[in-house]
Amino acid sequence: MKSSFKINKDNYISGLLILPVFFFVGICVLLCSAKIFKLGKTRNTGGVVSTNRISWENEYPFLENEVIGRQTITHKLQTKINNIESRIDSVVLNYFPFYYSILEVGNGIEKIINWKIPINNGYDSAVDLGDGYYTNYVRKINTEKSSESLIEFSEFCKKSEFVNNFVYVQAPYKIGKSDQTSELDYSNKNADTLLKNIQSKINYLDLRDRIKLENINNRDLFYKTDHHWKTESTLWATKEIVSYLNSELGMQFPESVLEEDNFTYNSYESVFLGSIGKKLTKAKAKPDDFTVILPKKEVQLKIIQNGYEKSGTFSSLYDYSQLKNNDLYNSYPYDGFFACNVGILENQVTDNKNSILIIGDSFTRPIAAFLSLICRKVERIDLAGFTGSIRKYIEKNGPYDVVIVLYNPASIIEPNLENHTSSFDFR
């Protein structure tokens, strides 16, 4: 009887000791799977840049009937929920000790035990495409209002004395049009519907068609752990856009400047853990290489970012601190390239007198930089971080030889006209 009691006591003590281990493992797995918080968000994910020197809404005010009025109860509630989520994310990311270490351990455990629980069917969780590539699915949206807003803006530009040409450019998504993937993804279907709606009303270039025509592997255009396309891909895209402007719109930009042989390619190995990779951590995702592309013939630029002005060469557009930070979780090399909501580049040495306004998401950052090599002035605006009227901006800062609007399929959304930070609010 005495011996039996000792065994039970030992088992009881062992059970107590093992409980914290199971608890820690459970927390790790739950964190890495984002079951508790909406923890896909990280410090650096290539989003909207918030540091602005200028109050855009005061500098470029809307018409009286376009000023934000009374918000609906639903919108107010959603805004409060978003604010609470942002605060939780901020607290967890900044004050939770060893957050990424725990997340990495959890992902490692999950990988070992092969515990795969789908979250939101791939919309907010990583989708494994194979060969180390990860992405997110895009939900189905009604593109009718987005199309109408784009068409109305193009009509404004056509009638404006400050704009000579207008073109919409459809960027690709990591899931190509011909890729066999889940029916849950609507990235290309949304883009196709948008283009169908604007067909015959707006000049547009579908880069997805160029990818197919040139027999390019769509997936190779993108980073494996991030949603952005590679810097090499943006140089290719810039050449395609310029070729279209010259051949279809009769413009005369010096295309030869953008030939690959006119650039140097500085590759940095395993320095970029993208927005999706940060969710998965190094336990599951292998960091990407990152290439900084510089023209062999250096140019002098006047650079204005969010109201802050400086002068420098093309290499001044890149923030090299993003590459020198050994902490993969707190650096984001893609953000090193001309990261701002409103940016102006003035080429001080070119003979080309044209000016370009490019409006779009973060896919346009390197494109704006490369365009600065072929014209006098390039201005770039990300409407998601620009709170003023884009039409007033054009009237005040034009004329422009061409206005380009470029979005990747994930950025095609129904315009929310209750605020002025929607990517398809062209008022």
Side-chain angles (χ1 to χ4, degrees):
M1 180 73 68
K2 194 172 183 179
S3 173
S4 174
F5 172 77
K6 187 174 184 354
I7 293 173
N8 290 337
K9 183 178 179 182
D10 289 343
N11 289 342
Y12 176 73
I13 293 173
S14 298
L16 288 178
L17 291 174
I18 202 69
L19 276 176
V21 176
F22 279 117
F23 179 76
F24 177 75
V25 170
I27 290 294
C28 290
V29 174
L30 286 172
L31 277 174
C32 74
S33 302
K35 306 290 193 304
I36 298 178
F37 304 107
K38 220 176 172 184
L39 292 180
K41 300 174 184 177
T42 57
R43 290 187 185 94
N44 296 288
T45 56
V48 176
V49 181
S50 59
T51 305
N52 294 313
R53 185 180 183 182
I54 300 173
S55 173
W56 305 118
E57 61 269 30
N58 292 331
E59 188 76 12
Y60 306 104
F62 289 85
L63 298 176
E64 187 174 348
N65 63 336
E66 294 174 340
V67 175
I68 301 173
R70 198 173 187 178
Q71 296 182 339
T72 64
I73 295 177
T74 303
H75 183 261
K76 286 183 178 179
L77 180 61
Q78 185 60 54
T79 300
K80 288 184 178 179
I81 292 173
N82 291 340
N83 289 337
I84 292 172
E85 288 181 351
S86 296
R87 289 174 184 173
I88 292 175
D89 290 332
S90 178
V91 169
V92 171
L93 289 171
N94 291 297
Y95 301 105
F96 189 33
F98 312 111
Y99 165 71
Y100 280 115
S101 298
I102 295 175
L103 195 62
E104 195 169 316
V105 170
N107 273 319
I109 295 171
E110 183 179 324
K111 184 177 181 180
I112 293 172
I113 65 178
N114 198 30
W115 187 21
K116 296 181 179 179
I117 300 178
I119 312 167
N120 294 329
N121 299 317
Y123 294 122
D124 293 321
S125 60
V127 176
D128 188 348
L129 296 176
D131 297 326
Y133 284 89
Y134 295 93
T135 190
N136 300 115
Y137 291 146
V138 175
R139 290 181 172 87
K140 181 180 181 180
I141 68 162
N142 185 340
T143 64
E144 185 177 348
K145 290 183 179 179
S146 305
S147 305
E148 290 176 357
S149 181
L150 189 59
I151 292 170
E152 288 177 5
F153 182 54
S154 71
E155 291 297 324
F156 163 81
C157 290
K158 290 176 184 177
K159 296 176 182 178
S160 173
E161 60 181 303
F162 302 102
V163 179
N164 293 332
N165 294 284
F166 180 90
V167 62
Y168 175 75
V169 179
Q170 182 59 65
Y173 195 63
K174 191 181 286 189
I175 298 174
K177 287 185 70 172
S178 59
D179 290 345
Q180 298 296 320
T181 57
S182 171
E183 293 182 357
L184 294 172
D185 178 64
Y186 283 86
S187 56
N188 289 291
K189 295 175 185 176
N190 290 340
D192 290 341
T193 305
L194 177 76
L195 294 181
K196 183 179 179 181
N197 292 342
I198 67 174
Q199 193 173 15
S200 76
K201 298 177 181 178
I202 296 178
N203 293 320
Y204 73 84
L205 168 63
D206 189 350
L207 289 175
R208 300 173 304 162
D209 290 342
R210 303 301 303 174
I211 291 169
K212 182 179 180 180
L213 183 64
E214 298 178 28
N215 199 28
I216 297 173
N217 186 321
N218 185 88
R219 197 174 297 177
D220 287 345
L221 295 171
F222 292 82
Y223 296 106
K224 291 185 175 182
T225 67
D226 195 60
H227 59 287
H228 287 109
W229 49 7
K230 299 175 182 176
T231 50
E232 299 93 328
S233 307
T234 61
L235 178 57
W236 166 82
T238 305
K239 289 191 294 183
E240 294 292 336
I241 293 170
V242 172
S243 176
Y244 176 88
L245 295 177
N246 287 346
S247 62
E248 300 299 322
L249 301 184
M251 306 191 74
Q252 297 181 340
F253 291 109
E255 295 181 52
S256 60
V257 173
L258 300 173
E259 291 298 325
E260 293 180 3
D261 293 341
N262 293 328
F263 295 86
T264 59
Y265 301 81
N266 303 315
S267 182
Y268 298 80
E269 295 183 0
S270 303
V271 296
F272 186 21
L273 193 62
S275 57
I276 305 172
K278 284 181 170 64
K279 296 180 186 181
L280 298 172
T281 71
K282 291 183 291 183
K284 288 186 176 182
K286 181 181 178 181
D288 285 286
D289 298 339
F290 191 88
T291 302
V292 177
I293 304 175
L294 301 173
K296 291 179 180 178
K297 184 179 179 181
E298 196 56 277
V299 297
Q300 290 295 321
L301 298 170
K302 178 181 177 182
I303 305 166
I304 303 175
Q305 295 179 261
N306 292 336
Y308 295 90
E309 182 179 328
K310 66 178 181 179
S311 295
T313 60
F314 190 89
S315 60
S316 302
L317 293 175
Y318 196 78
D319 177 10
Y320 285 90
S321 67
Q322 295 285 355
L323 294 171
K324 296 176 182 178
N325 186 348
N326 294 324
D327 185 354
L328 291 171
Y329 297 115
N330 292 299
S331 63
Y332 196 78
Y334 190 88
D335 265 358
F337 225 134
F338 199 42
C340 55
N341 297 322
V342 179
I344 302 173
L345 299 175
E346 293 185 13
N347 189 323
Q348 306 293 307
V349 296
T350 184
D351 294 327
N352 189 288
K353 304 300 182 183
N354 289 333
S355 61
I356 298 173
L357 172 62
I358 182 167
I359 301 167
D361 53 29
S362 52
F363 275 48
T364 63
R365 290 177 188 170
I367 291 178
F370 290 130
L371 286 174
S372 72
L373 298 174
I374 64 165
C375 64
R376 175 64 68 186
K377 184 169 68 172
V378 177
E379 299 182 32
R380 175 191 172 272
I381 293 183
D382 185 342
L383 292 180
F386 178 73
T387 54
S389 165
I390 185 60
R391 302 190 185 194
K392 283 284 174 49
Y393 183 95
I394 289 173
E395 291 173 347
K396 187 171 182 177
N397 297 293
Y400 300 101
D401 294 282
V402 60
V403 172
I404 302 170
V405 176
L406 183 151
Y407 284 114
N408 87 87
S411 294
I412 299 174
I413 60 173
E414 295 184 57
N416 178 5
L417 301 182
E418 292 184 338
N419 63 52
H420 294 305
T421 56
S422 172
S423 56
F424 272 80
D425 183 356
F426 298 106
R427 294 178 293 172

